[in-house]
Each structure stands twice: as C-alpha cells, then as structure tokens.
Amino acid sequence: MFQRLPDAGDTTLSITVDGKPVTARAGDSVAATLLAAGIDHCRTTPVSGAPRAPYCMMGVCFECLMVIDGVGNRQGCLVPVRDGMAVEIQHGKRELAR
Ligand code: FES
C-alpha cells in the first residue's frame, strides 16, 4: 500500500509491536513505521471494537492512538520512532498513565 521514496534515509532501528520485532527508519513517526510494516490498524474502538488506522498523519484525527512505552492514548503520528521502543495496539479505551 505504501512505498518509500528512493532517497529515504537508511538508518534502521528496531522496535517491537505487540512484542514482535519490527524494523523502523530513523526520522519516521511511529504511525508511519506501523504502516510501512504492513500493520493495518493501531487501535480498536471502545464501543464496537472496530479496527482503526492512522488517517491524517498530522495530529488532527486521533485515529492513530496507541500505547507507546506503556503510555496509552499517544498519537503515533506525532511521536518520532526511536530504537528499542515498545509499541502496543490499543484495544478500546485506555486511561492516561499517572
Ligand atoms: S493520524 Fe490523525 S492524529 Fe495521528
């Protein structure tokens, strides 16, 4: 579905998504990393459980909420990926960490 530009950077990072290893590129957002890895959703809705995927990629739609390093409701499109990051698909409503 998505294809990288030929001149995209080549610094690779390693993260986990639901415990599975995923290769990321330095400079990408977490949402872009999931889409590039072929992961088709990053959260499910609290009411019906329908899967939702990043949409606007600029912090407006909130469809990209996910759990990043144990903190829920993070907008994956606004968080730069970094090596060793632990990402989880967010299922339903998630309370903010205290
Ligand atoms: S994709 Fe729309 S806010 Fe992140």
Side-chain angles (χ1 to χ4, degrees):
M1 181 173 196
F2 295 96
Q3 217 170 17
R4 292 192 177 279
L5 295 173
D7 63 346
D10 59 359
T11 303
T12 57
L13 309 173
S14 296
I15 68 168
T16 60
V17 178
D18 285 345
K20 297 175 188 151
V22 169
T23 300
R25 289 251 177 105
D28 280 357
S29 68
V30 177
T33 298
L34 267 64
L35 292 171
I39 297 170
D40 64 357
H41 70 284
C42 60
R43 72 178 184 100
T44 59
T45 61
V47 176
S48 70
R52 307 300 287 184
Y55 182 66
C56 72
M57 301 298 281
M58 61 182 188
V60 176
C61 72
F62 287 77
E63 294 291 4
C64 62
L65 297 180
M66 57 186 85
V67 181
I68 299 175
D69 290 334
V71 180
N73 292 322
R74 302 283 312 272
Q75 285 176 276
C77 70
L78 299 181
V79 178
V81 73
R82 74 173 162 66
D83 203 37
M85 199 171 244
V87 177
E88 299 166 51
I89 303 300
Q90 181 168 306
H91 298 284
K93 187 176 176 184
R94 174 90 180 207
E95 300 298 326
L96 291 174
R98 295 174 194 243

